[in-house]
């Protein structure tokens, strides 16, 4: 006590590497014009201004928000509205969300193909069980047959010219209406995504937002496509885009809402009739979304949904001789199979847009902020059970910081909760099916025999299709012959002078989807970005969860054909153009 006044002495304690950035932050804060310390030492500030109560000032000013800062919903205006999110860290929001979703978690769903607006029944009905609880039956799906395929194509072929001539404004409004319907049905869609795809609450919310953003972005983008350009002789060239005809959209199970909707809406708004073939593992979700597409006003002859086995039904579809375009997201092997199949078709020259997986890498050098890098690594490698095409597969760590960063990663991984996605606090749900689980466990077992496992989370649940986060030490990326699609992180320690060989090894794999870089060295970041051949580079952030319009997404090499979903060039790839002088 000094003069009967309490005194608090604030003395941060820690190591040099922790205290130095802390000191810099304090210097920046205290040196700011708005800082109390800065104003105290500035004679131009009256003492009564320095000591005034900031809360009283805020109340007296009447300002509750800065009118110059857009609310989240308005950040993309005037072109479109941003999708609305849910703060699941807020207890009241969390409880309200659970109350709305829980009733759907006990529902039983029947699903079938939709051709020319009609739901088609079948004797071939498959029972759908949850990937996290083999006793939980979600419903039944009626598989398509060859007659259904022919019926869908006949309807689409007969309608394609009418759909091409339908005004763009009409198509754009349908896409906007679909976005609103997805928003209205989000609680049922969250429940379906949890039960059928094994997605967590957080992942489901993000995916629904992405689907809504796809609808609104493409609805806005298609209205901007027709442009006039002056020529050398002051004439005008009109670039008029229109649909190519019949577009087959083949979507995966890992994003059964966002990618399914994104592909279909992009094809529809550009004037293509769509034959949609979703992954069989998430047929119920596709059926629900298919009904919403028709409810939004898209004509029953412009959109057809075919449910069934990926190999047999998929082959029946791509063997049709009146396809103009295929949009595919899935494995590299399936994309190559589709390419070879359509090369045999003698009628149309079929275009293909493909986005596949990859051996995605992240490079962390000694200048990186390790705590932030660890968070980004965990998110990139393990969330969504590692089942994102963009997920981190191989992590390069500079040898100087290798052990310290590994300790941080292991410590953070130990805190991840693996379990039922019906629980709000679950971080990692199941992998999609038994086949995926067996492939991952076989790889992990092989790495164990080679003595390469440096961490494997303790397992508590052996009933569902769970694979627990695992970290594997490699000497080279060349030890991997294919993508490991799950929560398995491979780490490699590197010397700074070996970056040239590392870049060569990465590029020789032939994949090119995502690259993560964690560094405060701008020269290094530019060097890696320039020389590693990928479609998407993320610097000092995680490398998953691309945001529509802000981060267009697509790969190169064995990871895709280039056009980026959620970007300004995607719709033009789905269109043909007429040039009129």
């Amino acid at each position: 006590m000094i003069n009967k006044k309490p005194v608090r002495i604030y003395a941060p304690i820690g190591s040099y590497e922790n205290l130095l950035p802390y000191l810099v932050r304090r210097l920046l804060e205290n040196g700011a014009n708005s800082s109390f310390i800065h104003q105290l030492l500035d004679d131009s500030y009256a003492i009564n201004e320095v000591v005034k109560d900031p809360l009283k000032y805020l109340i007296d000013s009447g300002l509750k928000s800065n009118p110059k800062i857009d609310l989240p919903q308005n950040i993309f205006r005037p072109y479109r509205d941003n999708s609305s999110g849910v703060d699941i860290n807020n207890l009241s929001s969390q409880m309200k969300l659970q109350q709305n979703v829980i009733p759907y978690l006990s529902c039983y769903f029947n699903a079938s193909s939709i051709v020319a607006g009609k739901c088609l029944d079948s004797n071939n009905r498959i029972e759908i069980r949850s990937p996290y609880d083999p006793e939980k039956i979600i419903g039944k799906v009626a598989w398509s047959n060859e007659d259904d395929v022919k019926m869908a194509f006949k309807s689409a072929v007969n309608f394609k010219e009418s759909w091409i001539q339908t005004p763009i404004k009409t198509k754009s409004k349908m896409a906007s209406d679909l976005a609103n319907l997805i928003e209205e049905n989000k609680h049922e869609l969250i429940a379906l995504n949890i039960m059928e795809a094994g997605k967590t609450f957080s992942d489901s919310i993000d995916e629904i937002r992405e689907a809504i953003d796809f609808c609104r972005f493409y609805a806005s983008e298609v209205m901007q496509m027709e442009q006039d350009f002056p020529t050398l002789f002051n004439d005008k060239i009109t670039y008029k885009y229109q649909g190519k005809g019949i577009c087959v959209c083949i979507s995966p199970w890992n994003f059964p809402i966002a990618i399914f909707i994104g592909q279909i809406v992009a094809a529809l708004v550009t004037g293509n009739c769509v034959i949609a073939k979703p992954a069989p593992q998430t047929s119920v979700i596709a059926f629900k979304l298919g009904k919403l597409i028709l409810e939004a006003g898209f004509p029953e002859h412009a959109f057809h949904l075919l449910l069934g086995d990926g190999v047999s039904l998929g082959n029946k579809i791509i063997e049709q001789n009146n396809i103009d375009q295929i949009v595919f997201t899935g494995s590299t092997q399936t994309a190559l199979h589709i390419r070879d199949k359509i090369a045999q078709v003698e009628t149309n020259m079929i275009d293909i847009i493909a986005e596949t997986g990859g051996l995605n890498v992240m490079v962390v050098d000694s200048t990186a902020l390790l705590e932030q890098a660890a968070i980004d690594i965990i998110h990139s490698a393990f969330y969504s059970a590692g089942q994102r095409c963009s997920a981190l597969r191989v992590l390069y760590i500079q040898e100087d910081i290798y052990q310290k960063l590994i300790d941080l990663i292991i410590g953070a991984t130990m805190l991840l909760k693996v379990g039922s996605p019906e629980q709000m606090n679950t971080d990692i749900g199941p992998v999609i099916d038994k086949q995926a689980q067996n492939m991952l466990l076989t790889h992990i077992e092989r790495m164990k025999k080679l003595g390469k496992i440096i961490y494997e989370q303790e397992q508590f649940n052996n009933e569902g299709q769970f694979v627990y986060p695992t970290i594997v030490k490699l000497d080279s990326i060349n030890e991997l012959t294919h993508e490991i699609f799950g929560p398995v992180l491979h780490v490699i320690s590197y010397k700074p002078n070996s970056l040239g060989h590392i870049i060569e090894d990465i590029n020789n794999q032939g994949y090119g989807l995502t690259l993560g870089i964690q560094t405060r060295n701008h020269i290094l970041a530019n060097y890696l970005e320039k020389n590693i051949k990928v479609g998407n580079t993320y610097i000092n952030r995680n490398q998953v969860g691309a945001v529509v319009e802000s981060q267009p997404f697509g790969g190169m090499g064995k990871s895709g054909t280039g056009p980026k979903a959620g970007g300004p060039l995607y719709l033009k790839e789905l269109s043909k153009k007429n040039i009129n002088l």
Side-chain angles (χ1 to χ4, degrees):
M1 301 286 286
I2 301 173
N3 295 329
K4 297 184 179 181
K5 297 287 184 182
V7 175
R8 175 178 294 159
I9 298 175
Y10 178 54
I13 298 172
S15 60
Y16 162 80
E17 61 267 29
N18 292 326
L19 285 183
L20 186 60
Y22 174 85
L23 174 62
V24 172
R25 289 197 298 272
R26 295 288 80 79
L27 288 171
L28 290 172
E29 290 170 2
N30 293 336
N33 291 345
S34 58
S35 160
F36 167 80
I37 293 176
H38 176 91
Q39 294 176 359
L40 184 65
L41 299 175
D42 188 338
D43 292 338
S44 65
Y45 283 93
I47 191 64
N48 62 322
E49 285 292 313
V50 175
V51 300
K52 68 182 177 184
D53 183 351
L55 179 59
K56 185 177 184 303
Y57 170 77
L58 186 64
I59 293 171
D60 291 344
S61 69
L63 291 174
K64 292 192 169 68
S65 63
N66 188 335
K68 294 184 179 180
I69 299 176
D70 287 329
L71 294 173
Q73 182 185 6
N74 303 332
I75 59 175
F76 294 107
R77 285 184 179 178
Y79 300 105
R80 67 177 176 94
D81 284 347
N82 188 23
S83 57
S84 59
V86 179
D87 182 6
I88 60 173
N89 295 314
N90 180 289
L91 186 58
S92 61
S93 299
Q94 184 184 113
M95 291 176 64
K96 184 178 179 181
L97 179 64
Q98 282 181 306
Q99 288 170 0
N100 289 323
V101 171
I102 285 173
Y104 293 108
L105 293 174
S106 57
C107 290
Y108 186 90
F109 297 88
N110 285 307
S112 68
S113 299
I114 306 173
V115 174
K118 297 178 181 177
C119 298
L120 304 182
D121 203 356
S122 166
N123 293 327
N124 187 11
R125 299 183 69 81
I126 306 298
E127 192 172 71
I128 304 297
R129 292 176 180 265
S130 168
Y132 56 89
D133 181 359
E135 300 301 315
K136 187 180 182 70
I137 301 172
I138 301 167
K140 283 190 176 181
V141 177
W143 266 190
S144 294
N145 55 39
E146 191 168 359
D147 289 339
D148 300 336
V149 174
K150 291 178 179 178
M151 191 191 317
F153 273 90
K154 182 179 179 181
S155 173
V157 169
N158 291 337
F159 188 69
K160 69 177 184 179
E161 289 303 324
S162 296
W163 185 235
I164 286 173
Q165 298 304 323
T166 301
I168 288 176
K169 189 174 181 180
T170 302
K171 297 166 187 169
S172 174
K173 184 180 185 306
M174 290 173 185
S176 297
D177 289 345
L178 177 57
N180 296 335
L181 283 172
I182 293 172
E183 176 72 31
E184 291 169 15
N185 288 269
K186 67 181 178 183
H187 298 119
E188 183 178 4
L189 288 170
I190 289 171
L192 282 172
N193 215 20
I194 289 170
M195 291 190 292
E196 195 175 26
K199 292 287 195 81
T200 62
F201 270 90
S202 178
D203 284 340
S204 298
I205 292 165
D206 290 345
E207 187 175 356
I208 288 168
R209 290 192 65 189
E210 185 175 6
I212 293 168
D213 286 335
F214 271 135
C215 291
R216 291 176 178 161
F217 175 67
Y218 292 143
S220 169
E221 195 70 13
V222 75
M223 298 296 292
Q224 318 300 321
M225 284 176 62
E226 293 189 7
Q227 299 180 49
D228 289 338
F229 292 94
T231 69
L232 218 58
F233 307 103
N234 294 321
D235 293 325
K236 284 185 178 179
I237 297 178
T238 299
Y239 286 79
K240 183 178 181 181
Y241 294 88
Q242 59 180 222
K244 294 180 179 179
I246 308 299
C247 183
V248 172
C249 294
I250 304 173
S251 54
W253 48 260
N254 62 332
F255 283 91
I257 299 173
I259 294 179
F260 177 85
I261 286 292
Q263 290 180 347
I264 291 169
V265 169
L268 286 171
V269 297
T270 46
N272 298 282
C273 288
V274 168
I275 309 292
K277 166 62 183 75
Q281 295 93 330
T282 50
S283 297
V284 177
I285 296 170
F287 177 69
K288 172 65 180 177
L289 292 169
K291 290 198 295 183
L292 292 180
I293 289 169
L294 295 175
E295 188 180 339
F298 286 106
E300 60 186 28
H301 296 292
F303 168 76
H304 308 274
L305 175 68
L306 295 174
L307 304 180
D309 175 70
V311 177
S312 60
L313 180 62
N315 282 335
K316 288 184 178 71
I317 292 171
I318 63 175
E319 287 168 359
Q320 299 300 308
N321 61 8
N322 40 25
I323 299 171
D324 296 288
Q325 179 127 25
I326 295 176
V327 182
F328 170 80
T329 303
S331 71
T332 301
Q333 291 76 16
T334 304
L336 294 174
H337 170 74
I338 293 171
R339 181 201 63 183
D340 294 341
K341 277 281 187 183
I342 63 176
Q344 300 168 18
V345 176
E346 296 180 357
T347 51
N348 292 358
M349 296 292 289
I350 302 174
D351 298 324
I352 182 169
I353 296 176
E355 189 268 291
T356 62
L359 286 178
N360 310 308
V361 308
M362 179 185 287
V363 180
V364 185
D365 83 337
S366 59
T367 70
L369 294 171
L370 299 192
E371 289 81 3
Q372 182 60 50
I375 293 170
D376 292 337
I377 290 162
I378 295 297
H379 198 96
S380 299
F382 297 138
Y383 277 76
S384 302
Q387 297 178 124
R388 295 176 184 243
C389 51
S390 57
L392 170 60
R393 308 297 179 200
V394 180
L395 173 65
Y396 286 91
I397 308 174
Q398 189 172 326
E399 61 179 1
D400 311 61
I401 56 163
Y402 175 81
Q403 195 56 53
K404 183 170 184 180
L405 182 55
I406 286 294
D407 291 343
L408 284 171
I409 295 169
I410 291 175
T413 305
M414 291 172 67
L415 300 176
L416 296 176
K417 181 185 176 183
V418 179
S420 168
E422 292 186 15
Q423 304 300 316
M424 189 73 77
N425 62 346
T426 293
D427 298 303
I428 300 173
V431 294
I432 190 62
D433 55 27
K434 203 72 180 173
Q435 181 183 8
Q437 183 189 37
N438 289 338
M439 289 177 66
L440 289 163
L441 294 179
T442 298
H443 175 71
I444 291 170
E445 189 59 34
R446 187 170 75 86
M447 292 295 105
K448 278 183 183 176
K449 289 178 180 178
L450 294 172
K452 292 181 176 292
I453 302 290
I454 58 176
Y455 175 77
E456 185 178 16
Q457 193 181 83
E458 186 179 355
Q459 301 182 16
F460 296 99
N461 188 330
N462 296 316
E463 295 300 318
Q465 288 143 203
F466 294 98
V467 175
Y468 286 71
T470 303
I471 303 175
V472 179
K473 177 72 161 60
L474 300 180
D475 296 316
S476 167
I477 193 173
N478 297 321
E479 295 176 54
L480 297 176
T481 58
H482 61 280
E483 182 182 22
I484 306 302
F485 205 77
V488 181
L489 175 63
H490 306 86
V491 297
I492 299 171
S493 174
Y494 77 90
K495 298 178 183 294
N497 60 5
S498 66
L499 277 175
H501 294 297
I502 288 171
I503 291 170
E504 186 177 353
D505 285 345
I506 294 168
N507 288 337
N508 284 342
Q509 293 293 326
Y511 295 100
L513 194 57
T514 65
L515 164 68
I517 303 170
Q518 295 278 341
T519 181
R520 284 181 283 178
N521 183 336
H522 291 278
I523 295 174
L524 176 67
N526 292 335
Y527 172 70
L528 293 173
E529 184 277 325
K530 180 180 178 181
N531 289 284
I532 297 179
K533 299 173 182 177
V534 297
N536 313 274
T537 300
Y538 302 98
I539 301 174
N540 294 332
R541 52 149 289 174
N542 66 62
Q543 62 194 74
V544 293
V547 177
V548 174
E549 189 173 358
S550 300
Q551 295 145 355
F553 189 79
M556 61 174 64
K558 292 194 294 186
S559 295
T561 55
K564 294 179 181 291
L569 303 179
Y570 194 70
L571 295 187
K572 293 178 182 179
E573 290 292 327
L574 288 157
S575 312
K576 60 185 178 183
K577 62 187 179 186
N578 295 337
I579 305 176
N580 304 317
L581 289 179

